[in-house]
């Protein structure tokens, strides 16, 4: 009984992590191709509040990134998503 509930919770968590990962990828591609599209702005409304603190952190740690004009915050966010996904899978393998 408990294993079924835990399995369901981990499956939902991994699905949501995967969904966020795909939304990030779609947002980055759409921002490059059609930056002022209504769908790009809609996805950006949810992704940008997460990317903004990461961008500020990167600019604080690497001040020359601001001069270059390249935004690595989506890449950092993707790495963080992958780390969280790995940790959830590890926790699932430990508990189940």
């Amino acid at each position: 009984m408990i294993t079924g509930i835990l399995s369901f919770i981990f499956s939902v968590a991994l699905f949501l992590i995967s969904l966020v990962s795909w939304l990030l990828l779609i947002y980055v591609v759409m921002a490059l191709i059609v930056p002022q599209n209504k769908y790009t702005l809609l996805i950006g409304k949810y992704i940008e509040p997460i990317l903004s603190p990461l961008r500020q952190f990167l600019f604080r740690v690497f001040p020359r990134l601001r001069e270059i004009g390249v935004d690595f915050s989506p890449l950092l966010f993707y790495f963080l998503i992958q780390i969280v996904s790995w940790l959830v899978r590890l926790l699932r393998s430990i508990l189940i």
Side-chain angles (χ1 to χ4, degrees):
M1 176 75 178
I2 275 263
T3 3
I5 294 171
L6 282 176
S7 179
F8 176 74
I9 290 172
F10 283 120
S11 296
V12 169
L14 288 171
F15 172 75
L16 292 175
I17 290 169
S18 177
L19 182 68
V20 169
S21 179
W22 278 105
L23 278 176
L24 176 68
L25 177 67
I26 291 169
Y27 175 68
V28 168
V29 170
M30 286 180 69
L32 288 173
I33 297 173
V34 282
Q36 294 302 319
N37 189 355
K38 66 180 180 177
Y39 299 113
T40 306
L41 297 175
L42 176 69
I43 296 172
K45 185 170 62 171
Y46 299 105
I47 296 291
E48 275 301 321
I50 300 168
L51 292 181
S52 184
L54 294 175
R55 191 176 298 121
Q56 291 172 358
F57 170 75
L58 284 174
F59 287 159
R60 196 173 337 114
V61 173
F62 304 106
R64 295 204 47 139
L65 283 179
R66 192 181 303 267
E67 299 169 10
I68 296 173
V70 178
D71 185 13
F72 287 107
S73 60
L75 187 62
L76 177 62
F77 185 46
Y78 182 76
F79 285 143
L80 292 175
I81 290 171
Q82 294 308 310
I83 290 170
V84 168
S85 174
W86 176 75
L87 288 173
V88 168
R89 289 170 204 253
L90 180 65
L91 187 63
R92 180 180 65 181
S93 69
I94 291 171
L95 293 178
I96 296 178

